[in-house]
Amino acid sequence: VKQIVQCVPNFSEGRRKDVIDSIVAAMSGTPGAQVLDTQSDPDHNRSVVTLVGAPQPVMGAVFHGIAKAAELIDMRHHRGTHPRMGAADVVPLVPVRNVTLDDCAALARQLGDRVGTELGIPVYLYESAAIRPDRRNLADIRRGEYEGLSKEIATDPDRFPDFGPPSMGAAGATAIGARFPLVAFNVYLNTSDIATAKTIARAVRYSSGGLRCVKALGMLVEGQAQVSMNLTNYRVTPIHRALELIRAEADRLGVTVTRSEVVGLVPAEALLDAAKFYLQLHDFHPDQVLENRLTDDGSDDE
Amino acid sequence: VKQIVQCVPNFSEGRRKDVIDSIVAAMSGTPGAQVLDTQSDPDHNRSVVTLVGAPQPVMGAVFHGIAKAAELIDMRHHRGTHPRMGAADVVPLVPVRNVTLDDCAALARQLGDRVGTELGIPVYLYESAAIRPDRRNLADIRRGEYEGLSKEIATDPDRFPDFGPPSMGAAGATAIGARFPLVAFNVYLNTSDIATAKTIARAVRYSSGGLRCVKALGMLVEGQAQVSMNLTNYRVTPIHRALELIRAEADRLGVTVTRSEVVGLVPAEALLDAAKFYLQLHDFHPDQVLENRLTDDGSDDE
């Protein structure tokens, strides 16, 4: 059975095109791993690359990217509005198909070991790959950013890395972790009143009493109120549940949903779950999706 | 770009397991073609096999199946409740991915030529592969079944085959065609009153004024009223539109939908269309589905 993982490394360079291209090139051309997307933000001075493929090829490709970033980015001169502590700043591994979150955590630790040992970069394991509970949250690891961590890494035992040396070079430190696929899901309302969007966002998000795996903000996009969400685990909090709660709250406030959008990529399963919910397909099995029955070579060996 | 077609040959044997197994074996083992499913009905005395894969391998595999059926089934002795005219009775080619219905029509004609020439079986092209307008409808071709067609094929020019000889051997005749994937979609109601299901079926089906690509019957399944449907083109009449019409009619009659079911296989696109409708994802693009972005070998050459 073919395994597929996704890796979304964040690099601390969003302005110099030649540097970004070199890092992406270092991750391309590994058979079995595929660069799907690169997005660079000059203000953040940061690029986010999406890699997918079989576990070991993806691990090899992202290692080459981390090495190239360490070679070309000097964190002592890096400026940008996004928090950061390393040239390869954050490297999450994400399960896509026939892979568990635990599998991805094991891969993250394997990659962390290699980055620490072979590249001499301090590595912190985060989220589901964390081996210290105080390192599950990325923000806690990145506290003080490159400059603050440089001062404390050698002397504060709480800041010793999980792999690699307790000292910061020009490449800084890298957080490597495992997490579930994020779904960026936005819902537009038939109003230009941002307060309405903020009220609904408060109702739906976990931090103020809403759904377990929803982060939400109310904002105004081209004059239209929008509830902007990150669904951090669509298996626990599915898309349709977030939308139905928004529809109920919108109704109470006398507004309606005009449309919604998924930003970027979404696993097929998250949308099939929505179809199952709305069509009341209670006993539907993923094997009934024709494409899920195709083996990669079309042969009969499944 | 990888092309995938589906072929669903119907063979006139649903009782003798050794015969069915031999026909399926003849279609297995072709690299690039895969037998997904075999369903045999003893009352119909008929088996339906689902093959998928690249066009030419599927064509090769199904040709071997037709040849084996002609060798093992003698239509002069065939009895069953389902209309039939040949050992390989009906062979529809169905587009799945990166293939059009016209492509499948061309494949059907190519296969028909080969079956007529190499196996000496009369072949009729039907539905989207038909080259005579009076042969689009399978029921018109199969009129009189094996026995009736045997009498008329040599003498009635309207019944001359499109390929192969105008004479019937023990293998009978074969209809080869191209059609869109069928979706078998059933909706259950919270009543045991079959009349309610029949009333709703009449409202939703094309033949009595309903939706263009819906065939529907009202029936009782384990004491529960069911609207049983075949959606003959889910791009023209999507699943959600059929369901919403049923919900509206059910509401008028004071009943509700308790659940629905898809029987057998369904293309992912049909369910993604439902998710898009109910989530109001107006601008969603299939490329945003992560799995749709994966090349078969995981390489970067897309």
Short mmCIF file of all heavy atoms in Angstrom, two decimals, chain B residues 11 19 22 31 33 42 55 59 86 112 116 125 133-134 142 158 160 172 192 194 211 213-214 223 231 236 262 300:
data_model
loop_
_atom_site.label_atom_id
_atom_site.label_comp_id
_atom_site.label_asym_id
_atom_site.label_seq_id
_atom_site.Cartn_x
_atom_site.Cartn_y
_atom_site.Cartn_z
N PHE B 11 -22.15 -10.50 -18.79
CA PHE B 11 -22.08 -11.81 -19.41
C PHE B 11 -23.31 -12.64 -19.05
O PHE B 11 -23.80 -12.57 -17.92
CB PHE B 11 -20.81 -12.55 -18.95
CG PHE B 11 -19.54 -11.84 -19.35
CD1 PHE B 11 -18.85 -11.06 -18.43
CD2 PHE B 11 -19.05 -11.92 -20.65
CE1 PHE B 11 -17.69 -10.40 -18.79
CE2 PHE B 11 -17.89 -11.27 -21.02
CZ PHE B 11 -17.20 -10.50 -20.09
N VAL B 19 -17.61 -21.31 -14.96
CA VAL B 19 -17.65 -20.52 -16.19
C VAL B 19 -17.36 -19.05 -15.88
O VAL B 19 -16.56 -18.39 -16.56
CB VAL B 19 -19.02 -20.67 -16.89
CG1 VAL B 19 -19.15 -19.69 -18.06
CG2 VAL B 19 -19.22 -22.12 -17.35
N SER B 22 -13.74 -18.54 -15.11
CA SER B 22 -12.88 -18.61 -16.30
C SER B 22 -12.93 -17.30 -17.09
O SER B 22 -11.91 -16.84 -17.61
CB SER B 22 -13.33 -19.75 -17.22
OG SER B 22 -13.17 -20.99 -16.58
N PRO B 31 -1.42 -6.39 -17.64
CA PRO B 31 -0.84 -5.24 -16.94
C PRO B 31 -1.52 -3.94 -17.39
O PRO B 31 -1.74 -3.73 -18.58
CB PRO B 31 0.63 -5.26 -17.38
CG PRO B 31 0.87 -6.64 -17.87
CD PRO B 31 -0.44 -7.13 -18.44
N ALA B 33 -4.63 -3.11 -16.52
CA ALA B 33 -6.08 -3.26 -16.37
C ALA B 33 -6.36 -4.06 -15.11
O ALA B 33 -5.60 -4.97 -14.77
CB ALA B 33 -6.70 -3.95 -17.58
N PRO B 42 -28.14 -15.25 -10.05
CA PRO B 42 -28.64 -16.53 -10.58
C PRO B 42 -30.00 -16.40 -11.27
O PRO B 42 -30.24 -17.08 -12.28
CB PRO B 42 -28.75 -17.42 -9.34
CG PRO B 42 -27.98 -16.74 -8.26
CD PRO B 42 -28.00 -15.29 -8.59
N PRO B 55 -6.74 2.85 -21.27
CA PRO B 55 -7.66 2.43 -22.34
C PRO B 55 -7.25 1.14 -23.06
O PRO B 55 -8.05 0.20 -23.12
CB PRO B 55 -7.67 3.64 -23.29
CG PRO B 55 -7.40 4.80 -22.39
CD PRO B 55 -6.43 4.29 -21.36
N MET B 59 -9.13 -2.50 -23.04
CA MET B 59 -9.68 -3.04 -24.30
C MET B 59 -9.18 -4.46 -24.54
O MET B 59 -9.94 -5.33 -24.98
CB MET B 59 -9.23 -2.15 -25.46
CG MET B 59 -9.72 -0.74 -25.35
SD MET B 59 -11.37 -0.61 -26.01
CE MET B 59 -10.92 -0.65 -27.74
N GLY B 86 -26.66 -12.15 -26.16
CA GLY B 86 -25.35 -12.74 -26.43
C GLY B 86 -24.64 -13.21 -25.19
O GLY B 86 -25.01 -12.85 -24.06
N GLY B 112 -15.47 -3.05 -31.17
CA GLY B 112 -16.52 -3.70 -31.95
C GLY B 112 -15.97 -4.28 -33.25
O GLY B 112 -16.30 -5.41 -33.64
N GLY B 116 -16.04 -8.25 -34.04
CA GLY B 116 -16.72 -8.71 -35.25
C GLY B 116 -15.78 -9.48 -36.17
O GLY B 116 -16.11 -10.56 -36.68
N LEU B 125 -23.35 -1.18 -32.10
CA LEU B 125 -22.85 -0.03 -31.33
C LEU B 125 -24.04 0.73 -30.75
O LEU B 125 -24.98 1.04 -31.49
CB LEU B 125 -22.01 0.88 -32.23
CG LEU B 125 -20.74 0.23 -32.79
CD1 LEU B 125 -20.12 1.13 -33.86
CD2 LEU B 125 -19.73 -0.07 -31.68
N PRO B 133 -28.76 6.32 -35.54
CA PRO B 133 -29.53 6.94 -34.45
C PRO B 133 -30.54 5.99 -33.82
O PRO B 133 -30.84 6.11 -32.63
CB PRO B 133 -30.23 8.14 -35.11
CG PRO B 133 -30.02 7.99 -36.57
CD PRO B 133 -28.86 7.08 -36.79
N ASP B 134 -31.05 5.01 -34.61
CA ASP B 134 -32.04 4.08 -34.05
C ASP B 134 -31.38 3.02 -33.17
O ASP B 134 -32.07 2.12 -32.67
CB ASP B 134 -32.83 3.41 -35.18
CG ASP B 134 -31.92 2.71 -36.17
OD1 ASP B 134 -30.79 3.21 -36.40
OD2 ASP B 134 -32.32 1.66 -36.71
N ARG B 142 -31.86 -4.84 -28.58
CA ARG B 142 -32.04 -6.17 -27.98
C ARG B 142 -33.47 -6.71 -28.15
O ARG B 142 -33.81 -7.78 -27.64
CB ARG B 142 -31.63 -6.10 -26.50
CG ARG B 142 -31.22 -7.43 -25.92
CD ARG B 142 -30.37 -7.27 -24.66
NE ARG B 142 -30.99 -6.38 -23.70
CZ ARG B 142 -30.37 -5.91 -22.61
NH1 ARG B 142 -29.12 -6.26 -22.35
NH2 ARG B 142 -30.98 -5.11 -21.79
N ASP B 158 -32.64 -3.54 -41.23
CA ASP B 158 -32.61 -2.73 -40.02
C ASP B 158 -31.92 -3.44 -38.86
O ASP B 158 -31.60 -2.81 -37.86
CB ASP B 158 -34.04 -2.36 -39.58
CG ASP B 158 -34.59 -1.20 -40.42
OD1 ASP B 158 -33.78 -0.56 -41.13
OD2 ASP B 158 -35.80 -0.97 -40.36
N PHE B 160 -29.20 -5.60 -39.45
CA PHE B 160 -27.82 -5.95 -39.78
C PHE B 160 -26.88 -5.37 -38.71
O PHE B 160 -27.05 -4.24 -38.28
CB PHE B 160 -27.42 -5.37 -41.15
CG PHE B 160 -27.90 -6.17 -42.32
CD1 PHE B 160 -28.78 -7.24 -42.16
CD2 PHE B 160 -27.47 -5.85 -43.61
CE1 PHE B 160 -29.22 -7.97 -43.28
CE2 PHE B 160 -27.92 -6.57 -44.71
CZ PHE B 160 -28.79 -7.62 -44.55
N GLY B 172 -24.27 -15.69 -29.86
CA GLY B 172 -25.21 -14.61 -30.02
C GLY B 172 -24.54 -13.33 -30.50
O GLY B 172 -23.51 -13.37 -31.18
N SER B 192 -43.40 3.44 6.05
CA SER B 192 -43.46 2.13 5.39
C SER B 192 -44.50 2.16 4.27
O SER B 192 -44.88 1.12 3.74
CB SER B 192 -43.82 1.05 6.42
OG SER B 192 -45.06 1.38 7.03
N ILE B 194 -45.44 2.52 0.72
CA ILE B 194 -44.78 2.49 -0.59
C ILE B 194 -45.39 3.52 -1.54
O ILE B 194 -44.69 4.07 -2.41
CB ILE B 194 -44.85 1.07 -1.21
CG1 ILE B 194 -43.97 0.99 -2.47
CG2 ILE B 194 -46.27 0.66 -1.51
CD1 ILE B 194 -43.82 -0.41 -3.03
N LEU B 211 -36.41 15.40 -13.26
CA LEU B 211 -35.07 15.85 -13.64
C LEU B 211 -34.53 15.07 -14.84
O LEU B 211 -34.75 13.86 -14.96
CB LEU B 211 -34.13 15.71 -12.45
CG LEU B 211 -34.48 16.62 -11.26
CD1 LEU B 211 -33.78 16.15 -9.99
CD2 LEU B 211 -34.12 18.07 -11.57
N CYS B 213 -31.76 13.65 -15.98
CA CYS B 213 -30.95 12.42 -16.01
C CYS B 213 -31.23 11.53 -14.80
O CYS B 213 -30.32 10.96 -14.21
CB CYS B 213 -29.47 12.77 -16.11
SG CYS B 213 -29.09 13.59 -17.67
N VAL B 214 -32.51 11.44 -14.42
CA VAL B 214 -32.90 10.61 -13.29
C VAL B 214 -33.92 9.56 -13.73
O VAL B 214 -34.92 9.88 -14.36
CB VAL B 214 -33.53 11.46 -12.15
CG1 VAL B 214 -34.06 10.56 -11.03
CG2 VAL B 214 -32.50 12.44 -11.59
N GLY B 223 -39.20 -3.10 4.83
CA GLY B 223 -40.28 -2.38 5.50
C GLY B 223 -40.18 -0.87 5.46
O GLY B 223 -41.02 -0.18 6.03
N LEU B 231 -28.82 7.77 -11.57
CA LEU B 231 -28.47 9.07 -12.14
C LEU B 231 -27.60 8.78 -13.36
O LEU B 231 -26.49 8.27 -13.22
CB LEU B 231 -27.74 9.93 -11.12
CG LEU B 231 -28.44 10.08 -9.76
CD1 LEU B 231 -27.64 11.02 -8.85
CD2 LEU B 231 -29.85 10.60 -9.92
N VAL B 236 -24.87 16.53 -15.46
CA VAL B 236 -26.07 17.24 -15.90
C VAL B 236 -27.07 17.33 -14.75
O VAL B 236 -27.60 18.40 -14.45
CB VAL B 236 -26.70 16.54 -17.12
CG1 VAL B 236 -28.00 17.23 -17.51
CG2 VAL B 236 -25.73 16.55 -18.29
N VAL B 262 -25.31 5.09 -1.66
CA VAL B 262 -24.78 4.88 -3.00
C VAL B 262 -24.52 3.40 -3.12
O VAL B 262 -23.87 2.80 -2.27
CB VAL B 262 -23.48 5.68 -3.20
CG1 VAL B 262 -22.76 5.24 -4.48
CG2 VAL B 262 -23.75 7.17 -3.23
N ASP B 300 8.13 15.23 -10.32
CA ASP B 300 7.82 16.64 -10.46
C ASP B 300 7.43 17.02 -11.87
O ASP B 300 7.45 18.19 -12.23
CB ASP B 300 9.09 17.41 -10.08
CG ASP B 300 8.76 18.54 -9.14
OD1 ASP B 300 7.57 18.69 -8.81
OD2 ASP B 300 9.68 19.26 -8.75
#
